[in-house]
Amino acid sequence: MRSAFGSLAARVVFFVFAVTLVTSLTVTAVSVNSIDSFLREKGNQRFPELLAASSDQVAQWYEQREREMVVFAESEILAKNLAELGRQPSPARREHIRAEIEQYLGYVRSGFPQYLALFVLDSQRRPLLWVGERIELPEAVLGGLVRFDRVHT
């Protein structure tokens, strides 16, 4: 029986095939590594840009909500009625004031559906009036609420 590599032609063909295979695998490995490096570099450049843009958008969204709360909190309806509640009116007047404030908060909430609830806290940060979804607020959240004159939001 004759060896498969016995002839010179078989050896040359095998050698060319082996060299071609090794060269192809090397070029493939280099290409994959280069593409991976390129994509990682582009991703690393874009991620901070996207993160900064998203951070700015979130900050602007919160600033807008805060401005809205300032406008709501400084409304004449709230200021006048809460000041009157502080003077301890009669029970009938107190209920009338509460109804007026709740109506105002309901009106505001219907115009701004992104708010699940609007509420007014007393000086001890306990809910005085509440419109919308009732949720339990942890003490840490209540302590961090922003104060606007006599009105907390």
Side-chain angles (χ1 to χ4, degrees), residues 127-144:
L128 182 64
L129 298 163
W130 197 291
V131 174
E133 186 177 319
R134 197 89 152 117
I135 56 173
E136 188 65 34
L137 297 172
E139 192 61 38
V141 171
L142 289 173

Side-chain angles (χ1 to χ4, degrees), residues 12-91:
V12 168
V13 168
F14 177 75
F15 179 73
V16 168
F17 176 76
V19 167
T20 303
L21 180 64
V22 168
T23 303
S24 296
L25 290 174
T26 303
V27 167
T28 301
V30 169
S31 296
V32 167
N33 193 18
S34 295
I35 290 170
D36 181 58
S37 297
F38 173 77
L39 291 176
R40 283 185 192 276
E41 182 180 326
K42 289 298 179 187
N44 289 340
Q45 288 173 355
R46 288 283 295 154
F47 184 72
E49 293 170 6
L50 290 172
L51 187 58
S54 296
S55 175
D56 289 345
Q57 289 173 345
V58 168
Q60 289 173 359
W61 187 87
Y62 275 110
E63 287 171 9
Q64 179 63 35
R65 301 295 78 80
E66 187 173 315
R67 283 192 297 272
E68 289 170 358
M69 289 294 104
V70 168
V71 169
F72 303 153
E74 292 177 346
S75 74
E76 187 175 336
I77 292 173
L78 282 179
K80 176 184 67 146
N81 286 318
L82 290 175
E84 191 172 342
L85 275 179
R87 291 190 294 269
Q88 302 297 323
S90 69

Side-chain angles (χ1 to χ4, degrees), residues 91-108:
R93 180 69 185 141
R94 184 175 183 81
E95 284 308 310
H96 176 75
I97 292 170
R98 291 175 64 90
E100 194 172 331
I101 293 173
E102 286 176 351
Q103 182 180 11
Y104 170 74
L105 293 177
Y107 169 76
V108 169

Side-chain angles (χ1 to χ4, degrees), residues 108-123:
V108 169
R109 188 167 168 266
S110 69
F112 294 89
Q114 68 267 30
Y115 298 116
L116 298 177
L118 293 173
F119 51 90
V120 176
L121 302 176
D122 64 12
S123 60

